[in-house]
């Protein structure tokens, strides 16, 4: 008997957490934070549905907080075994988890909310990480083993093929959108009895995906002509680095007007070192050309602003200029300060390149709000707003299906759709049914299980 239970990312996109039980072992794949609307974030306070002290092994797909954010909770509650991940995932997770704890401590001091875990739990968690290469099967117990495949979503991201209790189970992790400027395209693990797949963009197609350079050029030309400010809210891990890589390449080809570019995100700046350390994970074309050198993120007009003082000084810098800052959904971080300063100016260009969850400042601006509240102050929206899906880090509907179709499954093989809002999961289910009529597909609710 092999049983798979869904304790997160079930009926929504955050909090990924799956338990796989055989007669002798209990494995966990991902232990992420619930993020977004209050009702969802409150799930973080619930006790784990299983006893972490009885878990034998943990495998992590990638370093985004919604996949790793509760690992220290697992450890705090008694998990003492290994946490397997690629080396790049371990290095990025270290940065991301430390940053998350810092933010949680600030919030706790401000609002008096209890912390989910403390520094001692985090340090212990980091010590339990063990690096695993792609494609190298790692024996777990008896005949059980697992293998990681490149998911092309962020640096080091993986899909997991877990062979447990005589059954093969694939966990997609988050599947990338391709081609990526930096990363290799996602790989499909070869075969499975059960596939647990994400469907963040189920039923949706990314439009204009191949015009990243055009999008960037249009924004920079406009900013130069209007002597303005280009604001780009970007996720700190992967999106910011991809943008820099693209800008570097375009500047070298003399395609862009010269102006200073500020990377104003301590997390993104720290992550640059991990990206430089793991160039072997880039797309082959990137590794081969001259930009594959170690100065990938170091070019004349780029300024890094790690400290708050550096960040404040950006306001004094003459126009035109570019500011790349987190958070990607404008829900916090330094971008909010820049929006407060520049959103009301008609010479500002706001380039929105990522998903904006309902309820965030980003979604209000995207929805055409004439004014927004920032830090208790009403700010008129007079900036030029542009949206580009070209930078999405998630496979769209067609790509999800292309990834799935390469996996060999027995007739009646099981498919569980997770990491998706309910309407998108339903759309993806219908789409898969039309291509694989024999598949046995479910959209599990939180706490649901399947047995094979
Ligand atoms: Zn992710």
């Amino acid at each position: 008997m092999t049983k798979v239970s869904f304790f997160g990312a079930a009926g929504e996109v955050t909090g990924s957490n799956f338990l796989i039980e055989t007669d002798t072992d209990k494995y966990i794949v991902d232990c992420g934070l619930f993020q977004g609307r209050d009702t969802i974030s409150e799930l973080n306070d619930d006790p784990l549905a299983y006893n972490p002290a009885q878990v034998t092994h943990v495998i992590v797909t990638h370093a985004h907080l919604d996949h790793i954010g509760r690992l220290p909770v697992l450890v705090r509650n008694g998990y003492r075994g290994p946490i397997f991940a690629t080396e790049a995932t371990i290095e990025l997770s270290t940065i991301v988890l430390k940053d998350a704890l810092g933010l949680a401590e600030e919030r706790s001091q401000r609002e008096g909310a209890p912390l989910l875990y403390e520094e001692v739990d985090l340090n212990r968690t980091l010590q339990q990480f063990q690096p695993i290469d792609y494609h190298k099967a790692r024996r777990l117990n008896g005949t059980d083993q697992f293998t990681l495949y490149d998911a092309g979503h962020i640096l080091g991201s993986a899909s997991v093929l877990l062979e447990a209790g005589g059954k093969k189970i694939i966990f997609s992790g988050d599947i990338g959108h391709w081609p990526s400027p930096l990363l290799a395209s996602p790989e499909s693990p070869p075969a499975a009895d059960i596939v647990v797949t994400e469907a963040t963009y189920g039923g949706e197609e990314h439009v204009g995906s191949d015009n990243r350079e055009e999008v960037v050029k249009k924004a920079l030309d406009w900013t130069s002509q209007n002597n303005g400010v280009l604001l780009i809210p970007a996720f700190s891990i992967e999106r910011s680095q991809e943008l820099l890589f693209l800008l570097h390449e375009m500047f070298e080809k003399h395609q862009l007007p010269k102006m200073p570019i500020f990377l104003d995100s301590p997390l993104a700046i720290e992550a640059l070192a991990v990206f430089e350390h793991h160039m072997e994970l880039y797309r082959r074309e990137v590794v081969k050309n001259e930009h594959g050198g170690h100065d990938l993120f170091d070019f004349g007009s780029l300024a890094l602003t790690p400290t708050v003082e550096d960040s404040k000084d950006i306001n004094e810098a003459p126009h035109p200029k570019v500011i790349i800052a987190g958070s990607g959904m404008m829900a916090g971080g330094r971008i909010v300060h820049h929006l407060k300063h520049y959103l009301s100016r008609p010479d500002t260009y706001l380039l929105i390149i990522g998903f904006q969850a309902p309820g965030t400042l980003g979604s209000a601006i995207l929805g055409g709000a004439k004014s927004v509240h920032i830090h208790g102050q009403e700010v008129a929206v007079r900036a030029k707003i542009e949206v580009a899906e070209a930078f999405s880090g998630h496979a769209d509907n067609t790509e999800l299906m292309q990834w799935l179709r390469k996996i060999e499954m027995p007739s009646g093989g099981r498919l569980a759709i997770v990491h998706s809002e309910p309407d998108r999961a339903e759309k993806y289910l219908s789409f898969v049914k039309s291509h694989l009529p024999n598949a046995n597909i479910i959209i599990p609710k939180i706490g649901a299980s399947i047995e094979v």
Side-chain angles (χ1 to χ4, degrees):
M1 192 267 316
T2 303
K3 183 173 163 189
V4 182
S5 303
F6 304 87
F7 293 121
E12 51 126 343
V13 293
T14 66
S16 282
N17 186 214
F18 311 112
L19 172 69
I20 304 90
E21 294 167 273
T22 66
D23 295 333
T24 52
D25 287 85
K26 290 184 200 297
Y27 306 118
I28 288 286
V29 172
D30 286 348
C31 196
L33 203 67
F34 291 100
Q35 294 172 294
R37 293 181 288 263
D38 286 350
T39 47
I40 289 174
S41 309
E42 281 166 10
L43 292 172
N44 293 316
D45 302 328
D46 290 349
L48 294 164
Y50 46 87
N51 180 358
Q54 291 173 353
V55 171
T56 51
H57 301 85
V58 173
I59 306 164
V60 167
T61 61
H62 67 287
H64 276 152
L65 208 54
D66 62 323
H67 294 257
I68 60 168
R70 285 187 299 155
L71 287 172
V73 177
L74 211 59
V75 169
R76 184 187 180 97
N77 287 287
Y79 179 63
R80 293 290 176 266
I83 302 171
F84 296 115
T86 63
E87 198 174 82
T89 294
I90 295 172
E91 290 172 24
L92 289 173
S93 296
T94 304
I95 298 170
V96 169
L97 287 171
K98 283 182 176 170
D99 179 74
L101 178 62
L103 292 175
E105 284 171 342
E106 279 172 28
R107 200 180 324 118
S108 170
Q109 276 169 9
R110 216 173 40 236
E111 300 167 9
L115 286 169
L116 286 177
Y117 59 88
E118 299 187 18
E119 197 173 354
V120 53
D121 307 309
L122 172 56
N123 291 337
R124 207 170 203 162
T125 305
L126 299 178
Q127 282 165 10
Q128 285 170 240
F129 271 114
Q130 281 189 26
I132 295 289
D133 288 337
Y134 291 126
H135 310 134
K136 288 202 180 130
R138 171 66 158 79
R139 187 54 62 93
L140 292 166
N141 194 7
T143 53
D144 292 356
Q145 60 176 19
F146 77 95
T147 315
L148 301 181
Y149 294 83
D150 192 346
H153 167 62
I154 66 170
L155 197 75
S157 64
S159 298
V160 181
L161 168 59
L162 175 64
E163 297 169 65
K167 297 292 173 192
K168 291 188 169 102
I169 310 147
I170 289 173
F171 295 88
S172 69
D174 288 359
I175 303 168
H177 167 52
W178 67 89
S180 145
L182 268 181
L183 302 179
S185 296
E187 302 173 305
S188 306
D193 300 294
I194 303 177
V195 176
V196 179
T197 180
E198 70 121 326
T200 315
Y201 281 89
E204 309 281 329
E205 306 292 345
H206 297 318
V207 277
S209 293
D210 42 9
N211 64 356
R212 288 188 196 98
E213 296 197 4
E214 267 169 55
V215 168
V216 168
K217 182 162 171 34
K218 186 177 150 201
L220 273 129
D221 283 342
W222 188 96
T223 305
S224 167
Q225 281 153 16
N226 290 277
N227 198 31
V229 178
L230 171 58
L231 291 183
I232 312 181
F235 293 101
S236 307
I237 307 293
E238 194 65 39
R239 237 39 66 204
S240 294
Q241 291 78 17
E242 281 184 5
L243 258 176
L244 291 189
F245 172 73
L246 195 69
L247 286 165
H248 187 183
E249 207 174 45
M250 291 174 76
F251 276 121
E252 291 217 334
K253 287 192 220 152
H254 305 291
Q255 290 174 325
L256 299 174
K258 282 261 181 282
M259 67 183 83
I261 295 168
F262 296 95
L263 179 62
D264 191 25
S265 158
L267 191 55
I269 293 169
E270 235 188 304
L272 287 180
V274 183
F275 277 75
E276 288 181 335
H277 188 194
H278 285 288
M279 288 191 295
E280 78 283 0
L281 300 178
Y282 296 171
R283 229 157 29 94
R284 202 169 300 143
E285 297 83 336
V286 178
V287 179
K288 268 196 303 193
N289 75 19
E290 71 269 31
H291 307 303
H294 54 269
D295 61 345
L296 201 58
F297 301 110
D298 179 13
F299 51 100
S301 48
L302 175 65
L304 308 178
T305 52
T307 71
V308 173
E309 286 312 311
D310 294 338
S311 176
K312 285 181 180 161
D313 288 347
I314 297 174
N315 290 340
E316 312 301 324
H319 294 197
K321 59 190 168 192
V322 182
I323 306 170
I324 302 170
S327 75
M329 293 199 258
M330 304 177 236
R334 292 184 181 173
I335 192 70
V336 178
H337 295 275
H338 297 300
L339 288 166
K340 194 170 157 190
H341 210 85
Y342 293 112
L343 200 56
S344 61
R345 296 179 59 133
D347 60 356
T348 298
Y349 192 109
L350 176 63
L351 179 60
I352 300 177
I353 59 169
F355 178 72
Q356 306 297 313
T360 57
L361 176 59
S363 88
I365 296 171
L366 197 60
K370 290 276 175 284
S371 71
V372 289
H373 279 90
I374 302 178
H375 299 155
Q377 200 178 308
E378 188 167 351
V379 180
V381 182
R382 295 197 195 92
K384 180 176 171 64
I385 317 280
E386 282 287 325
V387 185
E389 288 184 31
F391 290 88
S392 175
H394 281 275
D396 63 17
N397 193 63
T398 304
E399 290 170 326
L400 286 170
M401 189 68 207
Q402 284 174 4
W403 178 87
L404 181 65
R405 289 200 84 144
K406 289 192 190 139
I407 299 169
E408 201 181 298
M409 287 177 81
S411 179
R414 311 282 286 269
L415 180 72
I417 298 174
V418 299
H419 204 286
S420 186
E421 292 291 334
D423 57 326
R424 290 188 173 188
E426 288 291 348
K427 282 188 206 163
Y428 189 53
L429 185 146
S430 316
F431 187 68
V432 175
K433 269 265 173 241
S434 67
H435 286 79
L436 306 170
N438 294 326
N440 183 348
I441 315 173
I442 61 159
I443 302 171
K445 291 202 164 45
I446 197 155
S449 300
I450 47 178
E451 284 183 33
V452 283

